[in-house]
Every structure is written in structure tokens, then in C-alpha cells.
Amino acid sequence: MSDELSNYFSERQGRLLADLRELVEHESPSLDAAATTALTTALARRLESHGAAVRLYPTASGSHLMARATFGHPSQAAPVMLLGHVDTVWPRGTLARRGFRVADGRAYGPGVFDMKSGVALMVAALEAIPDLGLQPPHPLKILLTCDEESGSTTSRQLIESEAAECAAVLVLEPSLPGGAAKTERKGFAIYEIVVHGVAAHAGLDPDKGVSATTELAHQLLALQRLEDRAAGVSVNAGVIRGGTSPNVVAAEARAEVDVRFRTLSQAAEIARRIEALTPVLDGARLEIRGGINRPPLERTAGVSALFEQARAVAADLGFDLGEGSSGGASDGNLTAALGVPTLDGLGVEGDGAHAEHEHILLADLPRRAALLTALLTRLGVCLGSAWLLSADRGLRLAGSF
Ligand SMILES: [Zn+2]
């Protein structure tokens, strides 16, 4: 099967690139509901033409797309979900300044790496499966959202409810440098710490004041002591504000704090310690708001088993698939936190997410399409983390080869 798949996608490299170009040239800034909806609507038509049942979910951020495909063989098995987003961080007009172009074996353009090429892979796999007469053992879901780059506010509930019944989630977000998949992503919490002091004239009545800015300085150092970089816990008070004038003892000061962690137990521990912060100065008062924004994608047994399957499929296709961790979060964090085995970073190799030099490596495009297609037809997952299927059985299922 591996050679057949490799040949199939090598022959279709031009088509893959044309599809990618079309996706990139359809600008879709996050929170531009008209633009993202136009793109999911176009994709809905495309996926329907390949036999998927598609539903659009209109929201203030645009219409999220949910597609289901059984390839003519309704199955009671739990579905496998392909998860991604159509929105980008690039404002309208970026294309006019920095359009899609191909040079030196790379394709450049806004969103090409994060993650229009991942969307192109999903479409390619959905087409290839019936084209090649393959029969995945699980029904397939494709969920494409419009607001991942702006915090998944309107899609989170849909992602969680659709993923909850799935056997596994494959996230087509960009791969790590060198093309490695992401088997671990940190989670993060955001806190705002507001310090209330007492205002006073700095010259006339300094003893009557309680300095909120001084108190905040104590708290910033206390926050720093909560860090455990070796264990993957970082705390960053990235924004501080406070006071009104040099001659006034500050009545108020505040900090915005980003906390990153690898495990939910780390998250719970650091939340407990932040909420237990107490003022150092007499008369100062702390107000602490916020909490976990994204749970971590932990490298559970289910995640590593899923990765091992992907690695075996890649080896059959003639390449090494590595794994690694990322300090950034994706919607894969949400599905992993439900306990659904989630493998992230299955997108095309490239570089420069959210940066001007964003690009993908063209040679990796057909290879990744083959990897995704083969993985879908050989995935041995079921609810309860019983891993049924070996590569051998996958080859038998794909009997036409
Ligand atoms: Zn992304």
C-alpha cells in the first residue's frame, strides 16, 4: 500500500499545490466572520462532493465546519477526528503585500504553514480514500474552526462535544522543526493580580499611604519563586501597571501573568499557590482573578500509542517521524484533556508560523498526504485505549493493494 500511496500523491503534487494556493489566496483573518465563513462554505461544497455529510455552525467568529464520512460503510466504531482551523493571524491585505509564491522548493504565503497546508492534507485524504478504494476502520470526522488563533471562544464547546465520542483526534497543525509530531503541548493559565493600597501625598503624608506598586514588586518576586523551569513550569508577569503620579503613593497596581505547565497536577498546584498569595505590606489587599485557559496535552499512554502507529506508517512510507513537545497550545489541548488520544503537529514540514518568512517544504506535501491517508486506514484505535490493529492488519484491510 505504501508505494501505491506514495505514487498516487507524487502524481498529484501539482493538484495538491493548486489546492494549497487556492486556500492561501482565500484570506481568512481570525474574527473576520465574513472571510472565514466564505472559506468554510467553499470547503463544505468540496467535502460534500466527495461524499461527506457537512454541517456549518454559524457563530460571531464565522461558521465552523463539521464533516462526517463513512465511505459507504456505516460503522458503529467510534469516529476518528481530523481537527484544524481555517483562520490565520494575518489581516486582510497581507496577500497583496506578500502573496503566495513558490521558490527554492518552498511555498510561501500568509497561513501556508499555520495551517492552510494542514487543511489541504485533510481534503486530499478525504478524496484519496474513495479514489483508492480504501476503507478506514473508523468513520471520519473533519472539524475546521474559524477562531483558533483568537482563543477558540466560539468553537470550544463544539470541539469538546464532537471530540468526546471520538476514538482519536489527529491535529493537522504545523509540525515541529524537522517535521516531528507534537506528543506534548503545555497548557497555560492567565491571571490578573490587582493590588489595592492607600493613596497619600508622597511628600506630606507618606506614612498614611500603602504603596500598591511596592506591594506588587513583592508579589512579582513571589510569583517568580513559583517557577520550576526544569519541570516545565514557567511564570511570566508580562504586563504590569500601577500608580498615577510620582508624588502620589500608589493606590492601585496590577500584573497580567501567563503561567505554563506540562501536567494538570502542576496546574492545580500552581493555581493553589497563586490563590494563596498574601500581601507583605500592612494595609495592602490582593485581588486575584483568572485561571486555566488551556489544559495541557499530556503525553499519555494513548497519545504515545497513537504516535507509535503514525511512526510505523511513516517508516513504511520511507521516512522517520519524530516527536517532541511545544510550549504553545492548540485546540488539541482541549481534546486531549477529555482523555481522547490526540496526536498533534501532523501538518506539513515548514517554518515561520505567525512570521513573515512562513513557508512549507514542497517535497513534504505529498509525503504528508500519504501519511495521513495511510494512518486513517490503519489506525487501530477504539474507546478505552484498546489498540487493536497492527500495521499487518492495516495492510489486509486495504486489500485492494
Ligand atoms: Zn494553528
Side-chain angles (χ1 to χ4, degrees):
M1 179 173 82
S2 304
D3 287 347
E4 300 277 355
L5 267 177
S6 296
N7 292 340
Y8 173 87
F9 283 112
S10 293
E11 283 164 14
R12 292 167 74 90
Q13 182 147 12
R15 169 81 182 272
L16 283 170
L17 189 59
D19 282 352
L20 177 58
R21 176 177 196 138
E22 199 176 319
L23 288 166
V24 171
E25 292 187 340
H26 195 134
E27 284 188 300
S28 48
S30 206
L31 300 181
D32 184 335
T36 54
T37 299
L39 183 49
T40 49
T41 304
L43 281 164
R45 281 197 290 270
R46 178 84 183 265
L47 299 178
E48 275 168 349
S49 75
H50 296 292
V54 183
R55 190 171 159 195
L56 292 173
Y57 291 83
T59 72
S61 322
S63 293
H64 309 307
L65 181 159
M66 181 70 221
R68 290 179 177 77
T70 57
F71 308 100
H73 294 80
S75 158
Q76 295 305 309
V80 167
M81 179 189 276
L82 303 185
L83 179 58
H85 60 89
V86 300
D87 59 318
T88 74
V89 295
W90 301 104
R92 254 188 224 256
T94 303
L95 206 55
R97 181 171 60 79
R98 188 164 57 78
F100 182 86
R101 73 186 169 93
V102 170
D104 308 324
R106 299 169 175 193
Y108 294 83
V112 71
F113 182 48
D114 187 7
M115 55 162 277
K116 299 260 168 113
S117 50
V119 176
L121 294 183
M122 295 185 194
V123 175
L126 188 77
E127 282 182 26
I129 288 167
D131 265 11
L132 293 166
L134 302 171
Q135 182 56 57
H138 296 262
L140 183 63
K141 282 184 175 184
I142 294 179
L143 179 52
L144 290 171
T145 65
C146 292
D147 66 349
E148 195 273 344
E149 297 291 7
S150 44
S152 309
T153 317
T154 66
S155 58
R156 181 171 188 152
Q157 207 180 4
L158 180 65
I159 293 165
E160 290 176 339
S161 66
E162 290 292 346
E165 61 152 353
C166 286
V169 175
L170 305 177
V171 188
L172 277 293
E173 286 275 8
S175 51
L176 288 165
K182 293 170 181 171
T183 49
E184 183 184 72
R185 278 187 186 269
K186 284 188 181 178
F188 70 95
I190 296 182
Y191 288 93
E192 185 180 35
I193 296 177
V194 184
V195 181
H196 299 281
V198 177
H201 193 297
L204 299 179
D205 287 317
D207 292 341
K208 292 186 179 166
V210 178
S211 171
T213 49
T214 303
E215 178 61 45
L216 182 62
H218 285 294
Q219 296 303 324
L220 294 178
L221 294 175
L223 286 165
Q224 195 189 40
R225 289 192 290 272
L226 301 180
E227 284 202 309
D228 185 350
R229 296 276 180 97
V233 178
S234 60
V235 179
N236 179 54
V239 178
I240 58 168
R241 292 188 191 89
T244 53
S245 171
N247 62 359
V248 178
V249 175
E252 193 184 282
R254 58 185 67 211
E256 292 172 40
V257 185
D258 174 297
V259 181
R260 304 269 161 167
F261 37 79
R262 292 174 61 195
T263 67
L264 270 178
S265 59
Q266 287 174 336
E269 173 63 13
I270 204 152
R272 189 188 62 71
R273 294 175 71 184
I274 286 178
E275 281 153 23
L277 287 171
T278 48
V280 172
L281 304 181
D282 280 346
R285 185 167 63 80
L286 301 183
E287 199 184 328
I288 296 168
R289 305 173 183 146
I292 294 179
N293 184 291
R294 279 283 183 284
L297 191 170
E298 295 188 48
R299 194 184 186 286
T300 59
V303 170
S304 74
L306 195 53
F307 168 71
E308 286 305 325
Q309 293 215 347
R311 200 170 62 90
V313 170
D316 284 352
L317 290 165
F319 71 104
D320 272 342
L321 183 70
E323 65 171 317
S325 62
S326 168
S330 84
D331 286 336
N333 290 56
L334 300 177
T335 62
L338 301 171
V340 181
T342 299
L343 184 58
D344 204 333
L346 285 171
V348 183
E349 188 176 348
D351 196 13
H354 302 194
E356 292 279 324
H357 67 291
E358 178 172 14
H359 65 267
I360 58 147
L361 304 186
L362 285 179
D364 200 41
L365 195 55
R367 197 169 72 167
R368 291 283 162 167
L371 172 64
L372 180 61
T373 307
L375 188 54
L376 288 172
T377 56
R378 286 171 39 172
L379 208 51
V381 293
C382 73
L383 288 174
S385 298
W387 298 82
L388 300 174
L389 199 58
S390 69
D392 290 350
R393 182 160 168 230
L395 287 169
R396 267 191 279 125
L397 278 173
S400 54
F401 297 107

